[in-house]
Structure formats: C-alpha cells, structure tokens
Amino acid sequence: MKARVTRIMVRQPQCYANSGDYVNGMPFSLTLGCGTWGGNIASENITWKHFINTTWVSSPIEPVIPTEEGIFASHWQKYGR
C-alpha cells in the first residue's frame, strides 16, 4: 500500500510507463530517469521542456481563494452534504 515512487502503472506494460503512451496519458519521453527519489531533477518523463532554460517572472496578484461551496457544490448536490 506504500511505495516511495513517483509513478505507479496499473495493469500496463512497463514500456508504456517509461516512454509514455496515448493509452495512459503519460507524456512521451526523450530520456528516462529514476525520479526525485533517486536524485533526479524530475518525477516525470523527461521531455523537451526539461532541456530548455525557463525563467518565471512573478508579481503579486489579487488572491483567488475558492470557497468550500465552490469546490464541493456539485458533489454536495449529487450526494448531499
């Protein structure tokens, strides 16, 4: 029930987990790594985005904090509170 992993494939061949596939939604990979548990930089398949330098610029914005009603309204309507 517990495993120190970044990815778990259920009833799928390992090659799909490693390289990604249309049938599981994993992004296609250019190279493989062992994830952050193994000391790599990423916990996902390594793609082109990992080989480019990206700079994020952030400035303060007005916070948008959802309410419980906003998050769970459809669930509460379907199953009751």
Side-chain angles (χ1 to χ4, degrees):
M1 296 305 297
K2 291 182 180 183
R4 288 182 53 130
V5 298
T6 58
R7 226 178 346 197
I8 295 178
M9 303 305 289
V10 179
R11 293 188 296 275
Q12 298 179 64
Q14 180 61 30
C15 60
Y16 288 170
N18 286 342
S19 62
D21 196 73
Y22 292 112
V23 300
N24 62 17
M26 294 293 230
F28 290 93
S29 178
L30 299 174
T31 187
L32 304 175
C34 54
T36 54
W37 293 118
N40 284 106
I41 62 163
S43 295
E44 57 190 353
N45 286 345
I46 305 301
T47 65
W48 62 270
K49 70 179 181 178
H50 296 96
F51 294 98
I52 61 173
N53 290 323
T54 302
T55 301
W56 292 76
V57 178
S58 175
S59 58
I61 62 172
E62 189 67 32
V64 179
I65 302 171
T67 63
E68 282 188 10
E69 182 70 28
I71 296 171
F72 299 110
S74 62
H75 175 76
W76 288 338
Q77 289 171 356
K78 188 172 182 179
Y79 299 105
R81 194 167 194 185

